[in-house]
Amino acid sequence: MAFAHNVTSLVLSILAWIFFIIGCIGNSTGDFNVENAPWIIVNPDGNAEHIFFGTQAFYQENNQNGTPEDLTKYSNCENQFSFCTPCKDNGRVTFAMLCIAVIFAAFAIIFSTVLIFAEVASVQYTNLAFTSAATIMACVGWSVFMHRCYNAIDDATNHLEYGAAGSITLLGFLVMGVNVMVNIWSIWSIACPCNATAGASSKGTPAAVPQTEVEEAKPVV
């Protein structure tokens, strides 16, 4: 059972690592990356125009009115739009948290691989620590940006949606959260005394050895 747990942990760690990388791409200031890996997508007034928000810039696509495509860094629009400052500051925090989550997920991949070939208790606990830390970092990073920047952008005239980077990062820390539970289950299955008892009973108990009564010596007449 422990082998299956460790293989599952490895697969989940790889998936979460990939998802966190995609979230980090949203920190780019390149128009292609911001457009294709945004954290938030805004459709003002429900028209054909879309604005894609990354963690460091937002990109306005071309629309039917002929408005030119434009990439704007938050640091260049703080005097123009009220959302630029909170999105810039929280975007940096989110990017830093995701970078740490990527590193922790990479260590989780390494330790999960080691556990497949050699089940060592200390490595199992270390893997649990790294998966837990990656989950916490990604969760905090996602919450900071998607709460504060999202609220700063949101108003009655804007229709907001989660972009690819925001949605995939959310999926990433949920996957890593499942990984934490898999590691806890694996440790419990090894450490629980009831499992050792069950294992011993499954092998069968030795048959009782019949005991013969010792006859008392009869006196010789």
Side-chain angles (χ1 to χ4, degrees), residues 63-116:
N63 57 65
Q64 296 176 350
N65 297 327
T67 303
E69 298 177 352
D70 184 33
L71 177 74
T72 305
K73 295 181 181 180
Y74 297 134
S75 57
N76 296 333
C77 66
E78 293 184 80
N79 296 327
Q80 185 177 2
F81 301 112
S82 60
F83 61 79
C84 288
T85 298
C87 289
K88 180 194 70 173
D89 295 339
N90 294 292
R92 290 174 178 174
V93 174
T94 295
F95 179 66
M97 291 287 188
L98 281 183
C99 287
I100 297 173
V102 167
I103 295 172
F104 286 160
F107 277 109
I109 292 173
I110 295 172
F111 288 117
S112 296
T113 304
V114 171
L115 287 168
I116 291 175

Side-chain angles (χ1 to χ4, degrees), residues 121-144:
S122 59
V123 177
Q124 188 76 65
Y125 284 106
T126 304
N127 192 36
L128 175 60
F130 276 112
T131 53
S132 300
T135 303
I136 294 171
M137 290 297 175
C139 180
V140 172
W142 183 88
S143 300
V144 164

Side-chain angles (χ1 to χ4, degrees), residues 7-219:
V7 172
T8 303
S9 178
L10 175 61
V11 173
L12 294 176
S13 296
I14 293 173
L15 288 175
W17 182 81
I18 294 172
F19 294 158
F20 295 157
I21 290 289
I22 295 174
C24 289
I25 293 175
N27 189 69
S28 172
T29 55
D31 52 1
F32 178 82
N33 292 333
V34 175
E35 182 181 11
N36 291 280
W39 278 71
I40 302 170
I41 300 175
V42 176
N43 187 9
D45 302 320
N47 57 32
E49 176 187 358
H50 289 84
I51 305 175
F52 304 93
F53 288 81
T55 53
Q56 285 302 308
F58 67 94
Y59 174 78
Q60 182 175 343
E61 68 176 0
N62 196 5
N63 57 65
Q64 296 176 350
N65 297 327
T67 303
E69 298 177 352
D70 184 33
L71 177 74
T72 305
K73 295 181 181 180
Y74 297 134
S75 57
N76 296 333
C77 66
E78 293 184 80
N79 296 327
Q80 185 177 2
F81 301 112
S82 60
F83 61 79
C84 288
T85 298
C87 289
K88 180 194 70 173
D89 295 339
N90 294 292
R92 290 174 178 174
V93 174
T94 295
F95 179 66
M97 291 287 188
L98 281 183
C99 287
I100 297 173
V102 167
I103 295 172
F104 286 160
F107 277 109
I109 292 173
I110 295 172
F111 288 117
S112 296
T113 304
V114 171
L115 287 168
I116 291 175
F117 298 99
E119 296 179 8
V120 182
S122 59
V123 177
Q124 188 76 65
Y125 284 106
T126 304
N127 192 36
L128 175 60
F130 276 112
T131 53
S132 300
T135 303
I136 294 171
M137 290 297 175
C139 180
V140 172
W142 183 88
S143 300
V144 164
F145 188 78
M146 295 303 289
H147 174 68
R148 296 177 181 176
C149 183
Y150 191 98
N151 288 340
I153 298 170
D154 194 18
D155 60 40
T157 61
N158 289 336
H159 176 68
L160 274 65
E161 303 172 357
Y162 285 2
S167 300
I168 292 176
T169 302
L170 171 62
L171 180 60
F173 80 73
L174 292 177
V175 167
M176 192 58 88
V178 173
N179 197 359
V180 172
M181 290 186 286
V182 169
N183 278 277
I184 293 174
W185 188 10
S186 181
I187 292 172
W188 177 84
S189 65
I190 296 173
C192 182
C194 58
N195 294 315
T197 304
S201 61
S202 63
K203 296 179 182 178
T205 55
V209 178
Q211 297 180 357
T212 57
E213 295 181 358
V214 180
E215 297 182 357
E216 296 181 0
K218 296 181 179 179

